[in-house]
Amino acid sequence: MSKVLGIVAEYNPFHNGHLYHLEKTKEDTGSHYTVAIMSGNFTQRGSTSLIDKWSKAQAAINSGVDLVIELPVLYATSSAENFAEGAIKILDSLGVVDYISFGAETPDISILDTCADVLLHEPKQYKTLLSHELSKGVSYPKARENALMMYLNDIRRFANVLSSPNNILGIEYLKAMKKLNSTLTPYVVPRSEVGYHDLNYSKNIASSSAIRNMIKNDGFNALSNLMPTSSYSILMKNAKARTYRS
């Protein structure tokens, strides 16, 4: 029986790292088809997408995704929690998706799942620790990270888990799956080579942030080695028509 992979993405723009994630997951899970839940013309940070949603969807399809479904802007521009819950709701409602795959700085999914369980159910002791940390005047994200490590009582294992952006989003996917009693099976691809916010690139891998920064400051010259040929062509077509946002 055919297996179906689900991916949640912004593809802003679709680059070699995305292609690796897609192909690696399909190979490891034996998935035959891929559904991508993709933000449209606006991204999670509330900014305008580099190219329009139709061009992003075409780049994804050309690179091996079988179906692209737009994540409604209400979820796409919201917090990580709402972004993830909206995407999981859509994937789960399709009734045909077997896996959800996401990249994370922490490759051990049991660590992410433990964090998700605590943050979803918020045991009394955790809430007390969180209140105590917040009373110190630290930011909510830092207070949450500190409270979680103290509650789990294993700083070595859980240190920095909540300070890594892909981990945070991965934990929110797992939280949403628990909340919705989803039957999706999570799969993690370790984030390697470059980090989420890295503005440098390694070999032929660069983050979306780095690519957008290159376009803003240096133009398009270095990008052909960092993106699949089709994705690069679509970007250049938008650049020629001046329908991209740097």
Side-chain angles (χ1 to χ4, degrees), residues 144-165:
R144 185 176 72 160
E145 181 180 9
N146 292 344
L148 183 66
M149 285 192 295
M150 286 187 285
Y151 176 80
L152 295 171
N153 195 29
D154 192 343
I155 293 177
R156 173 178 288 185
R157 188 165 189 243
F158 295 96
N160 301 318
V161 172
L162 287 186
S163 60
S164 302

Side-chain angles (χ1 to χ4, degrees), residues 115-234:
C115 293
D117 203 53
V118 174
L119 296 177
L120 175 64
H121 298 293
E122 294 191 322
K124 184 177 180 180
Q125 183 185 354
Y126 164 77
K127 292 178 74 173
T128 299
L129 291 167
L130 178 60
S131 296
H132 178 70
E133 289 300 304
L134 288 170
S135 70
K136 297 178 181 179
V138 300
S139 67
Y140 180 80
K142 188 61 179 177
R144 185 176 72 160
E145 181 180 9
N146 292 344
L148 183 66
M149 285 192 295
M150 286 187 285
Y151 176 80
L152 295 171
N153 195 29
D154 192 343
I155 293 177
R156 173 178 288 185
R157 188 165 189 243
F158 295 96
N160 301 318
V161 172
L162 287 186
S163 60
S164 302
N166 289 103
N167 282 350
I168 292 172
L169 198 51
I171 288 169
E172 293 300 339
Y173 292 139
L174 295 171
K175 275 177 57 183
M177 289 168 61
K178 293 173 184 291
K179 183 177 179 180
L180 299 168
N181 294 315
S182 173
T183 59
L184 297 172
T185 299
Y187 182 85
V188 175
V189 175
R191 181 105 186 187
S192 60
E193 300 290 346
V194 295
Y196 185 84
H197 293 300
D198 282 353
L199 297 183
N200 297 314
Y201 58 90
S202 175
K203 299 177 183 176
N204 67 336
I205 301 293
S207 68
S208 295
S209 297
I211 290 175
R212 293 193 299 271
N213 186 66
M214 288 179 207
I215 293 172
K216 183 177 181 180
N217 295 297
D218 305 314
F220 299 85
N221 295 334
L223 299 186
S224 61
N225 189 48
L226 303 175
M227 303 171 67
T229 301
S230 175
S231 182
Y232 177 72
S233 297
I234 289 171

Side-chain angles (χ1 to χ4, degrees), residues 93-115:
S93 69
L94 296 176
V96 297
V97 180
D98 300 289
Y99 300 96
I100 174 172
S101 174
F102 52 88
E105 292 84 0
T106 299
D108 187 344
I109 197 168
S110 68
I111 293 177
L112 303 179
D113 192 64
T114 297
C115 293

